Amino acid sequence: MIRYHRECLARVLCVRAARRFTPLGTGSRPTQTESSSAAKRSVRPGQVTLLVGTRKGAFIYRSDAARRKWQLDGPHFLGNIVNHFVLDPRDPDCVWIFPTDGTEVWPRTSPAGRPAAYRSVDGGASWQRQDQGLPREHAWWTVKRQAFCADGCEPVGLYFGTTGGEIWASVDEGASWFQIAAHLPHVYSVTAAEEA
C-alpha cells in the first residue's frame, strides 16, 4: 500500500514539475465532522465567511468582524451532498465543490453517473459546472471528504481521488481534467504538498 502512495505522489509531483507546490494556509483548511465540513475564511476585510457542506447541500454564512449576526446564503445544490469546499489560495471569492447524489437510489455517487466540480468566482452567487475530460456516463464513484484539494500554483491546480481508485487533476483551475492514476484502492485523502 505504501508503494501505491509513493507512485501517486510521484505522478502528482511530475504533473507540476515546472512549478512548486505550496501548502494551503491554515485559514483555508476545512474543519470536518461526520455530518458536515466547514471552512472559515475572510472574504473581505472585517467580514467572516463560514462555508458549510452538508447532506442537504451547501450553505454560506457571512458576518461582520464581531460575528454576532449572520446572514445565510443557500442552500446551494439542494438534494446533493456537499462534503467539502476547496478554496482558491489567492482569491477568497473563488471556491470549488464536488457534490454527490443525495437521493436514496445511488447515494453518495456522482449525480446521474456524470461527475463534475462546480466553481464559483463570486462567493457562491453563481456556479459553473466543470466536467471537461471527466467521464460522461457510468462514473458511479464518490469523492471522499479529504480527497479534493488545490495547490498554490498559478494557475491553481486541483486534484481529487475517487472510491473507484482513480486520481484526477486539472492544471487550469478546473476548466479541464485528466486522469493521473488508476486501479488504486479507494482514495480517502489527496493533499498537494510542496516539493522537497
Side-chain angles (χ1 to χ4, degrees):
M1 188 175 295
I2 293 174
R3 190 177 86 208
Y4 284 119
H5 176 71
R6 287 184 181 159
E7 288 175 10
C8 292
L9 182 59
R11 289 179 187 171
V12 170
L13 294 176
C14 288
V15 169
R16 306 296 284 212
R19 303 179 187 136
R20 297 190 58 80
F21 284 93
T22 57
L24 297 175
T26 56
S28 62
R29 293 187 183 192
T31 302
Q32 300 180 344
T33 64
E34 183 61 30
S35 63
S36 67
S37 62
K40 194 164 60 167
R41 175 90 166 190
S42 179
V43 174
R44 304 216 182 347
Q47 180 180 350
V48 176
T49 299
L50 188 63
L51 306 170
V52 180
T54 74
R55 293 180 56 117
K56 305 289 184 183
F59 299 85
I60 302 172
Y61 291 87
R62 292 185 175 87
S63 179
D64 59 13
R67 297 172 301 234
R68 299 269 187 232
K69 294 182 182 179
W70 293 84
Q71 292 179 328
L72 170 63
D73 180 16
H76 301 277
F77 301 94
L78 184 63
N80 289 298
I81 299 167
V82 177
N83 285 326
H84 37 57
F85 286 82
V86 172
L87 299 164
D88 186 326
R90 306 156 307 152
D91 180 1
D93 285 329
C94 186
V95 62
W96 289 268
I97 65 171
F98 204 101
T100 56
D101 196 336
T103 67
E104 294 189 21
V105 178
W106 289 100
R108 298 184 184 268
T109 61
S110 303
R114 297 178 56 226
Y118 288 82
R119 178 184 186 196
S120 176
V121 295
D122 52 16
S126 63
W127 297 89
Q128 172 191 4
R129 181 180 172 93
Q130 295 184 310
D131 64 354
Q132 183 180 341
L134 294 175
R136 294 288 182 197
E137 59 184 6
H138 307 299
W140 303 107
W141 35 254
T142 299
V143 176
K144 298 282 188 175
R145 279 187 194 98
Q146 296 175 352
F148 188 27
C149 69
D151 64 26
C153 296
E154 179 67 41
V156 171
L158 299 168
Y159 310 90
F160 69 86
T162 73
T163 55
E166 302 168 348
I167 298 177
W168 292 82
S170 171
V171 295
D172 54 11
E173 300 184 352
S176 63
W177 297 91
F178 59 95
Q179 189 180 76
I180 60 175
H183 311 295
L184 302 171
H186 286 202
V187 178
Y188 289 97
S189 176
V190 175
T191 303
E194 187 173 337
E195 285 184 56

